[in-house]
Amino acid sequence: MPYNHYSNFLVNNIYCVLLIPVLILSVWAQAQVSGSFRKYSRDQNRRGLTGARAAEAVLRANGVYQVAIRPTSGHLTDHYDPRDHTIYLSESVYSAPTVAAVGVAAHEAGHAVQYAVGYSPIRLRSAIVPLTNLGSRCSVILLLVGMLLYSQSLFLIGILLFSLTTVFQLVTLPVEFNASRRALEAIEGQGLLDTDELSGARKVLRAAALTYVAALLMSALQLLRYVLIFLGRENRRGGGRR
């Protein structure tokens, strides 16, 4: 088998072998999020606490008062926007007195607390957002052009830009895990949920965290594939010069 065909065969096989478990994890994580949220959205918490009130309680417990809490459309579209200091809660969370709603809302409040206390990873993530957006838009174009024109320089720049997405996913992990930890500590400390209900909220947040792990692995795997292609092309060029 010619070297270039062997190199491509090796890259593709390494990628496929690693891709299968990552895909399985991604699908399983999404199923866990949907299943856990659906299950604990049927369980009303004993205090009748809505997501909005839970978020407010977490903020108050951490001495954060300049954050608004508003409803937003969509399913699981909950997020904190630091630009207007607002927690946006989806329709199934904002006014729902369920175990799942309390867990999700408390998690988003945890992000607001992170910004309020200057948590370093979330400040780093915010700082690299513009670069990440640039990288995600330009990397695919440069990688494709580099492949078609056989330009290693353009291909390498494409890899470096794409790597920003992987770095962003890596930084996101401690941010999300920390927000969930803050949420659960506040829920338990403020007595927002009973012990058995807290277990349900923990399962919802744990399932959501798995999706971020899967996203990181998928991005890292794609980056590895590009690097292997780049190294294979370099080896072929080096072999041609000898």
PDB file of all heavy atoms in Angstrom, residues 19-32:
ATOM      1  N   LEU A  19     -14.208   7.650  17.642  1.00  0.00           N
ATOM      2  CA  LEU A  19     -15.482   8.347  17.442  1.00  0.00           C
ATOM      3  C   LEU A  19     -16.670   7.562  17.995  1.00  0.00           C
ATOM      4  O   LEU A  19     -17.595   8.160  18.562  1.00  0.00           O
ATOM      5  CB  LEU A  19     -15.687   8.617  15.948  1.00  0.00           C
ATOM      6  CG  LEU A  19     -16.995   9.324  15.553  1.00  0.00           C
ATOM      7  CD1 LEU A  19     -17.058  10.716  16.178  1.00  0.00           C
ATOM      8  CD2 LEU A  19     -17.113   9.408  14.041  1.00  0.00           C
ATOM      9  N   ILE A  20     -16.641   6.252  17.837  1.00  0.00           N
ATOM     10  CA  ILE A  20     -17.795   5.439  18.234  1.00  0.00           C
ATOM     11  C   ILE A  20     -18.165   5.622  19.706  1.00  0.00           C
ATOM     12  O   ILE A  20     -19.315   5.940  20.033  1.00  0.00           O
ATOM     13  CB  ILE A  20     -17.550   3.956  17.899  1.00  0.00           C
ATOM     14  CG1 ILE A  20     -17.522   3.768  16.371  1.00  0.00           C
ATOM     15  CG2 ILE A  20     -18.638   3.076  18.518  1.00  0.00           C
ATOM     16  CD1 ILE A  20     -17.091   2.385  15.925  1.00  0.00           C
ATOM     17  N   PRO A  21     -17.202   5.461  20.657  1.00  0.00           N
ATOM     18  CA  PRO A  21     -17.593   5.652  22.061  1.00  0.00           C
ATOM     19  C   PRO A  21     -17.997   7.090  22.383  1.00  0.00           C
ATOM     20  O   PRO A  21     -18.862   7.308  23.239  1.00  0.00           O
ATOM     21  CB  PRO A  21     -16.334   5.241  22.843  1.00  0.00           C
ATOM     22  CG  PRO A  21     -15.215   5.322  21.863  1.00  0.00           C
ATOM     23  CD  PRO A  21     -15.811   4.994  20.540  1.00  0.00           C
ATOM     24  N   VAL A  22     -17.384   8.065  21.704  1.00  0.00           N
ATOM     25  CA  VAL A  22     -17.744   9.464  21.955  1.00  0.00           C
ATOM     26  C   VAL A  22     -19.168   9.736  21.484  1.00  0.00           C
ATOM     27  O   VAL A  22     -19.942  10.421  22.159  1.00  0.00           O
ATOM     28  CB  VAL A  22     -16.747  10.418  21.262  1.00  0.00           C
ATOM     29  CG1 VAL A  22     -17.212  11.869  21.387  1.00  0.00           C
ATOM     30  CG2 VAL A  22     -15.357  10.271  21.880  1.00  0.00           C
ATOM     31  N   LEU A  23     -19.528   9.192  20.328  1.00  0.00           N
ATOM     32  CA  LEU A  23     -20.898   9.350  19.828  1.00  0.00           C
ATOM     33  C   LEU A  23     -21.903   8.686  20.763  1.00  0.00           C
ATOM     34  O   LEU A  23     -22.977   9.241  21.039  1.00  0.00           O
ATOM     35  CB  LEU A  23     -21.017   8.750  18.429  1.00  0.00           C
ATOM     36  CG  LEU A  23     -20.511   9.605  17.262  1.00  0.00           C
ATOM     37  CD1 LEU A  23     -20.621   8.829  15.956  1.00  0.00           C
ATOM     38  CD2 LEU A  23     -21.289  10.919  17.173  1.00  0.00           C
ATOM     39  N   ILE A  24     -21.545   7.503  21.242  1.00  0.00           N
ATOM     40  CA  ILE A  24     -22.429   6.800  22.178  1.00  0.00           C
ATOM     41  C   ILE A  24     -22.628   7.633  23.438  1.00  0.00           C
ATOM     42  O   ILE A  24     -23.754   7.780  23.940  1.00  0.00           O
ATOM     43  CB  ILE A  24     -21.859   5.409  22.523  1.00  0.00           C
ATOM     44  CG1 ILE A  24     -21.909   4.500  21.291  1.00  0.00           C
ATOM     45  CG2 ILE A  24     -22.633   4.774  23.679  1.00  0.00           C
ATOM     46  CD1 ILE A  24     -21.213   3.166  21.488  1.00  0.00           C
ATOM     47  N   LEU A  25     -21.531   8.208  23.950  1.00  0.00           N
ATOM     48  CA  LEU A  25     -21.620   9.050  25.143  1.00  0.00           C
ATOM     49  C   LEU A  25     -22.488  10.278  24.884  1.00  0.00           C
ATOM     50  O   LEU A  25     -23.302  10.657  25.735  1.00  0.00           O
ATOM     51  CB  LEU A  25     -20.217   9.487  25.579  1.00  0.00           C
ATOM     52  CG  LEU A  25     -20.161  10.485  26.753  1.00  0.00           C
ATOM     53  CD1 LEU A  25     -20.770   9.857  28.004  1.00  0.00           C
ATOM     54  CD2 LEU A  25     -18.729  10.931  27.018  1.00  0.00           C
ATOM     55  N   SER A  26     -22.325  10.894  23.712  1.00  0.00           N
ATOM     56  CA  SER A  26     -23.101  12.096  23.381  1.00  0.00           C
ATOM     57  C   SER A  26     -24.595  11.792  23.340  1.00  0.00           C
ATOM     58  O   SER A  26     -25.409  12.532  23.910  1.00  0.00           O
ATOM     59  CB  SER A  26     -22.648  12.655  22.029  1.00  0.00           C
ATOM     60  OG  SER A  26     -21.293  13.051  22.066  1.00  0.00           O
ATOM     61  N   VAL A  27     -24.948  10.708  22.649  1.00  0.00           N
ATOM     62  CA  VAL A  27     -26.363  10.332  22.541  1.00  0.00           C
ATOM     63  C   VAL A  27     -26.921   9.971  23.910  1.00  0.00           C
ATOM     64  O   VAL A  27     -28.033  10.371  24.283  1.00  0.00           O
ATOM     65  CB  VAL A  27     -26.534   9.153  21.557  1.00  0.00           C
ATOM     66  CG1 VAL A  27     -27.965   8.637  21.573  1.00  0.00           C
ATOM     67  CG2 VAL A  27     -26.153   9.578  20.147  1.00  0.00           C
ATOM     68  N   TRP A  28     -26.135   9.216  24.677  1.00  0.00           N
ATOM     69  CA  TRP A  28     -26.576   8.797  26.009  1.00  0.00           C
ATOM     70  C   TRP A  28     -26.744  10.004  26.933  1.00  0.00           C
ATOM     71  O   TRP A  28     -27.719  10.085  27.702  1.00  0.00           O
ATOM     72  CB  TRP A  28     -25.569   7.819  26.599  1.00  0.00           C
ATOM     73  CG  TRP A  28     -25.977   7.272  27.946  1.00  0.00           C
ATOM     74  CD1 TRP A  28     -26.921   6.317  28.184  1.00  0.00           C
ATOM     75  CD2 TRP A  28     -25.456   7.649  29.222  1.00  0.00           C
ATOM     76  NE1 TRP A  28     -27.015   6.074  29.534  1.00  0.00           N
ATOM     77  CE2 TRP A  28     -26.134   6.868  30.193  1.00  0.00           C
ATOM     78  CE3 TRP A  28     -24.485   8.555  29.634  1.00  0.00           C
ATOM     79  CZ2 TRP A  28     -25.876   6.985  31.552  1.00  0.00           C
ATOM     80  CZ3 TRP A  28     -24.212   8.679  31.002  1.00  0.00           C
ATOM     81  CH2 TRP A  28     -24.907   7.894  31.940  1.00  0.00           C
ATOM     82  N   ALA A  29     -25.815  10.964  26.854  1.00  0.00           N
ATOM     83  CA  ALA A  29     -25.888  12.162  27.699  1.00  0.00           C
ATOM     84  C   ALA A  29     -27.137  12.978  27.380  1.00  0.00           C
ATOM     85  O   ALA A  29     -27.844  13.443  28.285  1.00  0.00           O
ATOM     86  CB  ALA A  29     -24.638  13.017  27.508  1.00  0.00           C
ATOM     87  N   GLN A  30     -27.425  13.146  26.085  1.00  0.00           N
ATOM     88  CA  GLN A  30     -28.626  13.888  25.699  1.00  0.00           C
ATOM     89  C   GLN A  30     -29.888  13.173  26.174  1.00  0.00           C
ATOM     90  O   GLN A  30     -30.851  13.819  26.629  1.00  0.00           O
ATOM     91  CB  GLN A  30     -28.662  14.057  24.179  1.00  0.00           C
ATOM     92  CG  GLN A  30     -27.637  15.022  23.628  1.00  0.00           C
ATOM     93  CD  GLN A  30     -27.860  16.455  24.094  1.00  0.00           C
ATOM     94  OE1 GLN A  30     -28.972  16.842  24.439  1.00  0.00           O
ATOM     95  NE2 GLN A  30     -26.799  17.235  24.111  1.00  0.00           N
ATOM     96  N   ALA A  31     -29.873  11.855  26.070  1.00  0.00           N
ATOM     97  CA  ALA A  31     -31.033  11.081  26.531  1.00  0.00           C
ATOM     98  C   ALA A  31     -31.206  11.208  28.040  1.00  0.00           C
ATOM     99  O   ALA A  31     -32.334  11.301  28.549  1.00  0.00           O
ATOM    100  CB  ALA A  31     -30.868   9.614  26.140  1.00  0.00           C
ATOM    101  N   GLN A  32     -30.081  11.236  28.758  1.00  0.00           N
ATOM    102  CA  GLN A  32     -30.131  11.390  30.209  1.00  0.00           C
ATOM    103  C   GLN A  32     -30.686  12.743  30.612  1.00  0.00           C
ATOM    104  O   GLN A  32     -31.478  12.852  31.555  1.00  0.00           O
ATOM    105  CB  GLN A  32     -28.728  11.204  30.801  1.00  0.00           C
ATOM    106  CG  GLN A  32     -28.227   9.782  30.818  1.00  0.00           C
ATOM    107  CD  GLN A  32     -29.026   8.899  31.742  1.00  0.00           C
ATOM    108  OE1 GLN A  32     -29.145   9.171  32.932  1.00  0.00           O
ATOM    109  NE2 GLN A  32     -29.597   7.842  31.204  1.00  0.00           N
TER     110      GLN A  32
END
